[in-house]
Amino acid sequence: MKHKELIAKMTLEEKASLMSGKDFWQSQNIVHLGINSIYFADGPHGIRKQAAGADKLGLNIGHPATCFPTAATVANSWNTELGEKVGEYLGEEALAQGVNVLLGPGVNMKRNPLCGRNFEYFSEDPYLAGKMAASYIRGIQSYGISACVKHFAVNNQEGRRMSIDAVVDERTLREIYLTAFEIAVKEGKTKAVMSSYNKLNGTYANENKHLMLDILRGEWGYNGTVITDWGGSNDRIAGLLAGNELEMPTTAGETDREIVEAIREGKLEETVLDQCVDRLLELVFTTEAAHKKPHEEFHVERHHRVSQKVAEESIVLLKNEGNILPLKYGKKVAVIGDFAKDARYQGAGSSLVNPTILDHTMDCFEESGIDSIGFEQGFERYGKRNKDKVQKACDLAKKADVTLLYIGLDEVTEAEGLDRNNMKIPDNQIELLDALYEVNPNIIAILSCGSAVEMPWINKVRGLVHGYLGGQAGARAILRVLSGDVNPSGKLAETYPLRYEDTPSYHYFPGDEASVEYREGPFIGYRYYDTADVNVLFPFGYGLSYTTFVYSNIQVTDNQVSFELTNTGNVAGMEVAQLYVSCQSKEIFRPNKELKGFKKVFINAGETKVVTIPFDDKTFRYYNRKTNQWEIEGANYTIMIGASSTDIRLEDTLYVNGTDAPLPYEQNELLSYYSGNIKNVQVNEFESLLGRKVPPSKWDRNKPLGYTDTIEQCQYAKGIFGRLLFHSVVFAYWYLKKIGKRSKANLIMMSIFHLPLRGIARMTGGIVNMPMLDGIIMMINGRFFKGLGHFLKERRKIEKAKKTK
């Protein structure tokens, strides 16, 4: 232990006190030992240090900070150097605001397009997500503060995220859902990891020894700090035994006393606590050292321009019929759509940033050189139909050569704590598009949203530019692409299916009650579409340019692949060359191809460059459930270089020696997986993949409710108080939506409806403790007066204790 001497000076109570927060955003301090509090702030794409209400979770407005494009946006750049630059600027701003630990990046997989937090995650591919995350982490930590990669692990739905049990087989877990974290830990060298709310195969993530001890600390050699998601601690002692050091937020000393009692009763070895304290102290002292060095306030304008550069490189050109883009000089342009007036530039929830500057499209036209003849709102932002707005938009479009139509998803549709209901753009926006098409078919759609959407309307637009959520400078960045000042180079980090029903997890998402079953196994995203030969709208890795590239002269060795890349167009541009690998053996089921490398290259018009992509330890490996380790299958492998997962330009074959591991599967038991057609996997086949019985997926409606049951489950409570509690929350949600307070309605769903009952104690900072919660649970379970008496009795104890202090 690095801090053995300091720990020896601490009392047991002092050591225990360091294991939970001082308040909602700070760790505990011990003044006489020189241990100060450190500050945590949300910040995957900008610093959200709350300007008020530091003792409350809330979603209070934060101090002004640069709002960079979200992770889903920057992933489309496929540029790790750019990711590292974003990280550096985030680190600089965190330092300027007195932040020690920045809670990000998020690297959970985009298992399903409807996950409400997909805007905050990089990709459906673990290799791309891991490489981008590692670059962010290196940048953030270059300023001496800590990143905190999240949410570890298998947190792929927002609904019931605090209680759902993710049921996933070991191979899928390792290859798909842990690989990005592995890269973040090994290559990014993150100092902190945030455990997720959910259970993994029956055990809460922060208590899961297989996840936390065997894999994270054992196999990956991680020696940093693990922090719970806010309110994500279930059994505090079980969490410590799994090496989960810091519980956030504060519990006003309640769980500290649990730790002391567990050690005195022999349930917890004091040496386990000492190791946890040692790792936390390392985080405290290393991040505190950064703040002791002289540093300046960040340059607001410079950071804004960097945000613009990042957005420009992350914009994806999806359609360019007849080379309608870039806009020709002198073309008269009608600008239509509410998102042109008020840009949609970030997601909602804990990552909400208060921007230092905010560009809007209508304020940027003069410098763009585009001739705008006017603006019409066209549609109501939150879906209400308005014929008058549609008519005014059509009248303007008739006068224009080209219509720029700004459409997308609103702020409350993509939000933390909620999953989307469907993949559609709101009907009122599509009705506007239909009407515009009748009067002027020269439509260029500019799409603003953080996740995949269906596009049955795509034949009615000649151009389609996807800006995703481009941060505070995104509006100007889009205009620079439209005008041709910037040659688009973004490529999709996720597949766009033709319809939601085509997605591999369609039948298995979300988990409705107790569990969510990952029956599709490793076949998520393009791994499924390419293997099962399912047509998609836009494949993984797809994106157009204003120039063209030719690939040639592939050369494969045991260690790398190289090839020539030529810009055959008239303008300079950047191309993302992608390495895919396919095993030709059929002994072990695999996706048809998997991304194993990529490189973004800038090439002048007419220039040729030699591009080299090295192989690494992940290029040929698979996880073998019989040997419980990574193995390599001895076989011929097809080495593919492509412009997308379906646009393969070059191929070669390489034989790779294997590790001679036993075959892990009986093929006749897993026919769906060997074919890749995993849309309707039956329970017996999934159990063969799991190697065990599938747990019950429904709640037990007959048992009394307890700490880990949710407010939602109170609809089945034996006591009228519990059912009344449930219906009160449902009514509040309905009423707030009815009067237009959608953000507040969403907050109720996020922080109350799916909250486990233990969260009433864990998230109130000591206002309600566990003994008081026992009283509330008695009332919910039908013993109202006994529970109320118990609650009031415990409440009086707290008030009495406060008076005697």
Side-chain angles (χ1 to χ4, degrees):
M1 294 195 303
K2 289 186 178 182
H3 307 284
K4 188 174 182 178
E5 291 183 9
L6 180 58
I7 294 170
K9 297 176 184 178
M10 297 181 194
T11 66
L12 177 57
E13 287 75 12
E14 286 173 334
K15 288 188 284 190
S17 73
L18 291 173
M19 296 293 94
S20 61
K22 179 180 181 179
D23 53 32
F24 260 89
W25 298 110
Q26 296 183 89
S27 68
Q28 186 59 267
N29 59 324
I30 303 176
V31 176
H32 75 93
L33 292 175
I35 301 170
N36 297 323
S37 299
I38 57 174
Y39 201 98
F40 302 84
D42 288 308
H45 64 271
I47 316 301
R48 191 181 78 91
K49 183 179 180 182
Q50 288 191 182
D55 61 333
K56 299 176 182 177
L57 180 60
L59 291 177
N60 303 34
I61 192 168
H63 291 285
T66 308
C67 181
F68 291 94
T70 67
T73 311
V74 184
N76 294 331
S77 77
W78 293 64
N79 188 336
T80 55
E81 292 178 4
L82 192 69
E84 190 161 340
K85 184 63 67 176
V86 173
E88 288 173 7
Y89 280 82
L90 288 170
E92 183 183 356
E93 293 194 25
L95 198 62
Q97 292 202 29
V99 171
N100 298 74
V101 180
L102 197 58
L103 303 175
V107 300
N108 295 102
M109 288 296 94
K110 297 185 181 185
R111 178 191 179 221
N112 185 283
L114 300 188
C115 175
R117 213 167 178 178
N118 275 354
F119 65 86
E120 207 171 308
Y121 302 139
F122 290 108
S123 179
E124 68 187 32
D125 181 82
Y127 190 88
L128 176 57
K131 291 292 184 178
M132 292 302 298
S135 71
Y136 267 61
I137 292 163
R138 286 193 296 269
I140 291 167
Q141 295 188 169
S142 69
Y143 275 84
I145 67 158
S146 174
C148 182
V149 68
K150 62 185 186 181
H151 307 87
F152 191 61
V154 202
N155 177 189
N156 305 108
Q157 68 178 67
E158 287 297 288
R160 301 176 183 87
R161 62 179 176 164
M162 297 185 82
S163 60
I164 200 77
D165 181 13
V167 182
V168 57
D169 71 282
E170 188 72 12
R171 180 183 171 196
T172 300
L173 174 67
R174 302 297 194 113
E175 294 186 9
I176 303 297
Y177 297 102
L178 295 187
T179 291
F181 285 101
E182 179 185 359
I183 296 170
V185 167
K186 289 182 176 179
E187 298 181 22
K189 301 190 185 306
T190 185
K191 297 178 184 178
V193 171
M194 182 187 289
S195 56
S196 57
Y197 286 125
N198 55 283
K199 295 176 184 175
L200 172 59
N201 291 325
T203 305
Y204 280 102
N206 79 303
E207 301 169 10
N208 194 308
K209 290 183 178 180
H210 179 54
L211 183 66
M212 294 293 177
L213 294 181
D214 297 345
I215 299 173
L216 177 63
R217 298 203 185 278
E219 294 179 24
W220 300 349
Y222 179 69
N223 200 35
T225 303
V226 177
I227 303 164
T228 69
D229 203 340
W230 267 232
S233 175
N234 176 53
D235 183 320
R236 189 65 192 104
I237 307 308
L240 275 182
L241 287 168
N244 200 143
E245 286 84 13
L246 183 59
E247 174 189 24
M248 291 298 288
T250 182
T251 59
E254 185 172 22
T255 53
D256 304 344
R257 292 187 289 275
E258 288 180 18
I259 294 170
V260 171
E261 186 178 330
I263 289 173
R264 288 177 175 162
E265 293 179 356
K267 296 176 182 176
L268 176 69
E269 294 288 337
E270 192 167 353
T271 53
V272 172
L273 176 61
D274 289 349
Q275 289 170 346
C276 289
V277 170
D278 186 66
R279 289 191 289 254
L280 179 64
L281 288 176
E282 183 68 7
L283 181 68
V284 171
F285 292 142
T286 56
T287 59
E288 194 179 37
H291 289 277
K292 291 178 179 177
K293 299 175 184 177
H295 57 271
E296 300 176 356
E297 292 296 311
F298 68 92
H299 193 286
V300 171
E301 184 63 32
R302 184 187 305 129
H303 283 220
H304 180 70
R305 291 303 172 197
V306 170
S307 179
Q308 178 183 317
K309 170 68 171 66
V310 174
E312 289 170 0
E313 201 169 319
S314 304
I315 291 166
V316 188
L317 177 61
L318 292 175
K319 185 176 182 180
N320 195 15
E321 182 182 306
N323 291 322
I324 194 170
L325 289 171
L327 290 168
K328 308 299 186 289
Y329 180 76
K331 290 286 185 182
K332 294 180 180 179
V333 171
V335 184
I336 295 170
D338 190 58
F339 297 130
K341 178 168 64 73
D342 294 311
R344 173 82 206 288
Y345 60 97
Q346 66 173 326
S350 63
S351 65
L352 197 69
V353 178
N354 180 17
T356 54
I357 302 170
L358 184 56
D359 290 340
H360 291 292
T361 301
M362 300 313 299
D363 301 328
C364 302
F365 264 103
E366 188 172 336
E367 67 184 70
S368 73
I370 298 172
D371 183 11
S372 168
I373 64 169
F375 164 78
E376 286 295 340
Q377 184 179 346
F379 61 86
E380 299 276 1
R381 197 175 192 90
Y382 297 107
K384 186 178 179 181
R385 288 176 168 83
N386 189 315
K387 291 183 178 179
D388 184 53
K389 282 183 167 54
V390 172
Q391 186 59 54
K392 287 180 179 178
C394 289
D395 291 343
L396 180 64
K398 289 175 185 176
K399 304 172 187 176
D401 297 317
V402 175
T403 298
L404 297 182
L405 177 60
Y406 284 74
I407 57 176
L409 299 177
D410 60 64
E411 290 82 353
V412 296
T413 298
E414 297 180 284
E416 179 183 353
L418 295 168
D419 295 314
R420 290 194 289 157
N421 294 323
N422 55 57
M423 281 185 67
K424 302 178 188 299
I425 296 289
D427 289 342
N428 67 332
Q429 295 183 37
I430 305 310
E431 288 166 7
L432 170 64
L433 170 59
D434 291 341
L436 291 171
Y437 182 76
E438 294 301 319
V439 300
N440 185 346
N442 290 325
I443 299 170
I444 298 168
I446 295 91
L447 192 58
S448 297
C449 54
S451 46
V453 293
E454 294 175 349
M455 301 183 194
W457 40 265
I458 195 167
N459 290 331
K460 292 188 176 180
V461 301
R462 291 187 61 196
L464 178 57
V465 174
H466 200 338
Y468 267 71
L469 300 177
Q472 63 183 49
R476 179 179 271 107
I478 287 170
L479 286 176
R480 282 174 54 78
V481 167
L482 294 173
S483 68
D485 289 339
V486 170
N487 187 354
S489 62
K491 297 208 173 191
L492 293 175
E494 60 187 318
T495 307
Y496 277 55
L498 287 167
R499 55 186 194 135
Y500 176 59
E501 290 79 3
D502 293 336
T503 58
S505 57
Y506 172 70
H507 291 297
Y508 320 127
F509 179 96
D512 287 331
E513 292 190 5
S515 68
V516 53
E517 297 170 6
Y518 285 57
R519 293 196 189 190
E520 71 278 7
F523 295 96
I524 76 166
Y526 73 90
R527 285 170 164 79
Y528 164 69
Y529 299 114
D530 289 359
T531 305
D533 198 22
V534 176
N535 289 330
V536 298
L537 180 62
F538 296 115
F540 175 78
Y542 175 86
L544 301 175
S545 170
Y546 294 152
T547 190
T548 52
F549 298 95
V550 169
Y551 294 68
S552 61
N553 195 23
I554 186 171
Q555 302 288 329
V556 176
T557 70
D558 290 343
N559 302 313
Q560 64 184 36
V561 55
S562 62
F563 53 95
E564 292 180 355
L565 190 57
T566 303
N567 183 341
T568 54
N570 298 318
V571 294
M574 287 184 279
E575 173 71 338
V576 178
Q578 302 155 42
L579 164 64
Y580 295 91
V581 173
S582 174
C583 181
Q584 294 181 10
S585 167
K586 302 302 178 186
E587 295 291 337
I588 300 168
F589 70 81
R590 295 173 185 248
N592 188 46
K593 64 174 77 76
E594 296 181 279
L595 183 75
K596 297 297 182 180
F598 57 91
K599 186 162 285 189
K600 190 164 194 176
V601 187
F602 174 83
I603 311 181
N604 287 312
E607 183 183 14
T608 296
K609 285 188 176 180
V610 175
V611 181
T612 299
I613 302 177
F615 301 149
D616 61 20
D617 64 327
K618 298 167 187 66
T619 306
F620 304 107
R621 73 180 190 177
Y622 76 96
Y623 195 83
N624 188 303
R625 70 177 188 180
K626 277 191 177 178
T627 63
N628 289 319
Q629 62 185 23
W630 294 101
E631 304 284 2
I632 295 174
E633 187 178 3
N636 283 314
Y637 289 80
T638 305
I639 308 300
M640 295 171 274
I641 299 296
S644 78
S645 68
T646 61
D647 185 9
I648 302 302
R649 304 290 181 89
L650 302 171
E651 288 189 15
D652 203 349
T653 300
L654 176 69
Y655 183 82
V656 179
N657 291 318
T659 51
D660 296 323
L663 293 176
Y665 304 115
E666 293 292 335
Q667 189 166 340
N668 63 342
E669 294 179 0
L670 299 166
L671 295 178
S672 296
Y673 298 102
Y674 274 88
S675 70
N677 293 307
I678 43 69
K679 288 290 290 293
N680 291 290
V681 175
Q682 299 303 303
V683 65
N684 61 324
E685 193 172 3
F686 184 47
E687 287 180 342
S688 293
L689 183 68
L690 280 174
R692 63 182 184 279
K693 289 288 185 184
V694 174
S697 61
K698 299 296 182 183
W699 295 315
D700 183 349
R701 287 158 170 72
N702 297 315
K703 72 175 182 64
L705 297 180
Y707 294 143
T708 60
D709 297 310
T710 64
I711 303 292
E712 182 184 14
Q713 288 173 259
C714 286
Q715 62 186 297
Y716 308 117
K718 293 181 179 178
I720 192 170
F721 173 78
R723 296 195 296 275
L724 188 61
L725 178 63
F726 165 79
H727 288 294
S728 298
V729 172
V730 171
F731 174 78
Y733 173 72
W734 171 84
Y735 179 72
L736 288 169
K737 281 193 72 174
K738 188 77 173 174
I739 63 174
K741 304 282 188 181
R742 294 185 175 212
S743 293
K744 289 185 177 179
N746 285 353
L747 190 60
I748 283 178
M749 295 301 287
M750 179 177 83
S751 59
I752 299 176
F753 191 69
H754 295 306
L755 184 73
L757 295 173
R758 60 170 161 77
I760 296 172
R762 295 289 191 250
M763 294 290 280
T764 54
I767 295 172
V768 176
N769 64 12
M770 293 300 281
M772 292 167 66
L773 177 61
D774 289 336
I776 294 173
I777 291 175
M778 287 181 203
M779 289 189 278
I780 287 170
N781 285 322
R783 294 178 292 167
F784 181 81
F785 292 107
K786 183 176 181 180
L788 179 61
H790 184 85
F791 177 87
L792 295 174
K793 175 185 169 186
E794 295 299 331
R795 181 67 194 159
R796 284 193 293 270
K797 285 182 183 179
I798 290 179
E799 291 171 352
K800 186 177 179 181
K802 285 180 180 177
K803 289 177 183 178
T804 57
K805 281 186 178 180

